[in-house]
Amino acid sequence: MDIGNNKAGGRSLRLTACAASALLGWGVFAMPMPVHAQSADASQAGSTDTDSLDLPATTTTSTKSKTTKATNQSSTNTDTPVNGRLRLGGIDPTTTGSTLDDDLRRVNLRETGVDDLRARQYPDRDDAQGIPLGTFTLRPSINQSVNVERNRTGSTNDDHSFLQTDLRSTLTSDWDRHALTITGEGVWQKNLSGSGAEQPTVNLNADLRLDLPADTVAHITAGYQFFREDTSDPNAIANASKQSAVNQFNTGLSLERDFGVLRGTTAVALTRTVYSDAVLSDGTPVTLSDRNQTAGTWSGRIGYELSPALIPFLEADLGLAVYDQSHDSNGYARSNQSFGGKAGVELDLGEKMKGELGFGYQHTEFDDSRLAAIDSPTVDGKLAWSPQRGTDVSIGLATTVQPSTTAGESGYTAYQLTSTLSHQLRDDLTAKLSGGTIWRNYPSDSSFADETEYDAALGFTWGINRYLDLTSNVGYQLTSRKTGDDTRQVQAGVGLTVKR
């Protein structure tokens, strides 16, 4: 029996060796053939559709990668070569893991050529494509409008008409990994009649997203804002012909990482604020350098993924604001420290609805013991909803603590609600309705009474062609005060936008 078994085993080994030799020889013989043979077959039978190949799927995209691709959507490249190069080893874990197409392996899909618009439904209409600059796409636009504005406070009217120039530009990268987005906006106003306040603004922001290994995403941000303080602001100088110009410089760093069903985020931010002099009606300058400050914040969030669409979270934050001058012109130490926390939930239903809502509490304490601490409940949130193609709804909630400049007053809590409804009436006509309110809530022991600001606006944009838009808008704003006169503002304008 043992001898018979050995013979049978030897016969099996010989058969196995013969089969292996035959396969190896066929492989060596056939090795140089595929390129030429397939090329010949392709020339006779046409191009090969790589999607029809029955290959095993190797996609290992994380939830974070899916989110990244959702915000960088573009059309799929259909110009696949006949002989797609297979990448069988060394797949980068931060990519999609595809072995068929280089475009499918990109963390970022290719930048679209349309100005933040959906794919054209009408082939005879061309939208602005932007200006390619290497691996970037620049989309600039300029709007020139003529506006009229009427302001009424009590029995005092302040009417004026003015020219307004709006400059907007977006520079976006088209890289395989990581992403850089730079946005810029500027508004310049020139009075044609009347003596109303001109409100120039500048807003520049840069966001560098780094796609790191292990489902980690980092954001490095920087920005600059310039604006003139509004006459309706509680800290504005009364009877000033020109309010202070405010310059803000900010930078920040954040890290996001997935730990299975847990999601963690931590962020730090720095803001430098500088105020210029205000000018009284008689030409006397008022120095406001005692308001210059540097503020820093830290926040941390942990979320638990009940499902990809529902993530409850807890968040904590710390803040510190240091004024250049230890005491302001009234002798008060305005530097302050704050801490707070909130609990909420994130909602992600894909392209139809995304947002979050959180409720919490914040405590702000000042260096000067004569200034009462500000304790306030907070509500913050944002929602983006698209009930149907061509219709977009956005809602925002924000709570901020604003220090005061009045002697003996610590400040107030501002609760802000903003909402926007945009609807595409036709392929070349879009209507936009916006509204909001700000409630300024002072502490109970304050000498100031609460006030509420309401605003609403309606605008239309008609796309004459891919380079030219006709715009029109009308808006209304009401500032209601428990003590003092209310302020009403009506504004209307028409303009022309040139874009590329």
Side-chain angles (χ1 to χ4, degrees):
M1 294 296 295
D2 292 338
I3 296 175
N5 287 339
N6 290 336
K7 288 182 178 180
R11 186 180 297 110
S12 299
L13 290 174
R14 286 193 296 271
L15 291 174
T16 303
C18 291
S21 301
L23 291 174
L24 181 59
W26 179 85
V28 173
F29 176 78
M31 187 174 298
M33 295 300 293
V35 174
H36 304 289
Q38 290 180 12
S39 299
D41 293 340
S43 62
Q44 296 175 4
S47 61
T48 301
D49 185 3
T50 57
D51 293 337
S52 65
L53 296 178
D54 189 16
L55 294 179
T58 59
T59 302
T60 57
T61 307
S62 65
T63 304
K64 188 65 66 179
S65 299
K66 293 178 181 178
T67 305
T68 301
K69 291 194 289 183
T71 55
N72 295 276
Q73 291 184 358
S74 64
S75 58
T76 304
N77 183 7
T78 58
D79 300 329
T80 305
V82 175
N83 300 311
R85 177 174 58 85
L86 300 183
R87 188 172 186 266
L88 301 178
I91 296 177
D92 192 331
T94 62
T95 66
T96 62
S98 171
T99 62
L100 292 179
D101 192 343
D102 284 343
D103 273 355
L104 295 179
R105 293 184 53 253
R106 294 164 60 103
V107 173
N108 304 323
L109 297 184
R110 296 191 184 276
E111 178 67 22
T112 60
V114 179
D115 234 347
D116 293 331
L117 299 176
R118 296 180 175 87
R120 298 194 306 268
Q121 298 180 0
Y122 299 88
D124 58 344
R125 180 185 173 193
D126 294 324
D127 292 306
Q129 301 296 308
I131 303 173
L133 299 174
T135 58
F136 290 86
T137 301
L138 176 65
R139 295 189 175 92
S141 69
I142 179 172
N143 176 273
Q144 183 64 59
S145 61
V146 180
N147 303 266
V148 293
E149 183 177 283
R150 170 171 291 184
N151 292 278
R152 182 181 180 88
T153 301
S155 59
T156 303
N157 289 331
D158 186 7
D159 304 336
H160 71 126
S161 60
F162 58 93
L163 289 175
Q164 178 169 309
T165 304
D166 295 78
L167 294 172
R168 291 182 175 86
S169 183
T170 302
L171 183 67
T172 54
S173 65
D174 185 20
W175 302 336
D176 288 356
R177 290 178 56 188
H178 316 305
L180 175 61
T181 303
I182 301 175
T183 59
E185 298 180 1
V187 175
W188 174 81
Q189 294 181 350
K190 177 63 177 179
N191 282 342
L192 298 176
S193 64
S195 58
E198 299 174 350
Q199 297 288 342
T201 62
V202 176
N203 194 345
L204 301 174
N205 290 285
D207 183 358
L208 174 62
R209 193 196 73 224
L210 301 176
D211 302 311
L212 306 178
D215 295 333
T216 303
V217 177
H219 286 268
I220 302 175
T221 60
Y224 168 74
Q225 288 80 40
F226 168 85
F227 59 93
R228 194 170 295 280
E229 202 162 38
D230 198 309
T231 54
S232 63
D233 191 291
N235 291 328
I237 302 298
N239 300 321
S241 61
K242 181 182 290 187
Q243 296 292 340
S244 172
V246 184
N247 293 271
Q248 285 188 343
F249 307 85
N250 59 78
T251 184
L253 171 65
S254 67
L255 289 174
E256 306 171 11
R257 184 172 180 179
D258 288 352
F259 302 90
V261 295
L262 296 179
R263 295 186 179 183
T265 302
T266 183
V268 293
L270 288 174
T271 302
R272 171 68 178 168
T273 307
V274 180
Y275 293 84
S276 70
D277 296 346
V279 180
L280 298 180
S281 55
D282 60 0
T284 303
V286 179
T287 301
L288 300 177
S289 58
D290 58 343
R291 297 175 62 184
N292 296 346
Q293 60 177 285
T294 302
T297 59
W298 170 87
S299 64
R301 172 185 291 195
I302 186 72
Y304 182 81
E305 184 177 331
L306 293 177
S307 71
L310 196 64
I311 304 175
F313 67 85
L314 293 174
E315 182 175 320
D317 62 85
L318 299 173
L320 175 66
V322 179
Y323 283 70
D324 293 359
Q325 300 179 18
S326 59
H327 294 78
D328 63 10
S329 57
N330 295 313
Y332 288 86
R334 294 285 178 180
S335 297
N336 57 81
Q337 307 84 39
S338 64
F339 61 87
K342 64 181 177 180
V345 61
E346 296 180 30
L347 181 67
D348 188 349
L349 299 179
E351 296 182 355
K352 283 297 181 181
M353 183 180 294
K354 291 183 180 181
E356 67 176 55
L357 180 64
F359 298 91
Y361 199 82
Q362 183 169 353
H363 173 82
T364 303
E365 187 172 345
F366 297 86
D367 289 354
D368 199 314
S369 59
R370 296 172 295 175
L371 299 176
I374 301 177
D375 293 280
S376 56
T378 62
V379 54
D380 298 277
K382 55 186 177 181
L383 176 67
W385 176 40
S386 179
Q388 65 181 25
R389 184 176 294 276
T391 302
D392 298 295
V393 179
S394 63
I395 300 175
L397 292 168
T399 303
T400 58
V401 174
Q402 301 291 338
S404 177
T405 58
T406 304
E409 294 289 338
S410 55
Y412 61 91
T413 303
Y415 298 91
Q416 184 174 15
L417 167 67
T418 58
S419 60
T420 302
L421 169 62
S422 177
H423 181 65
Q424 192 171 357
L425 302 175
R426 295 178 45 185
D427 180 56
D428 57 355
L429 182 62
T430 301
K432 186 175 181 180
L433 177 65
S434 61
T437 181
I438 300 177
W439 176 39
R440 299 184 178 100
N441 180 31
Y442 288 87
S444 56
D445 57 350
S446 173
S447 60
F448 287 90
D450 296 351
E451 62 181 41
T452 307
E453 182 179 298
Y454 308 91
D455 63 84
L458 175 63
F460 293 91
T461 301
W462 173 37
I464 300 174
N465 55 45
R466 66 175 180 174
Y467 298 121
L468 204 60
D469 288 343
L470 180 64
T471 62
S472 62
N473 64 83
V474 59
Y476 175 77
Q477 183 181 89
L478 168 65
T479 302
S480 176
R481 302 180 176 91
K482 289 186 177 181
T483 58
D485 296 327
D486 295 345
T487 299
R488 293 174 173 83
Q489 181 186 90
V490 179
Q491 181 177 318
V494 61
L496 204 60
T497 300
V498 179
K499 60 184 179 179
R500 177 68 174 88

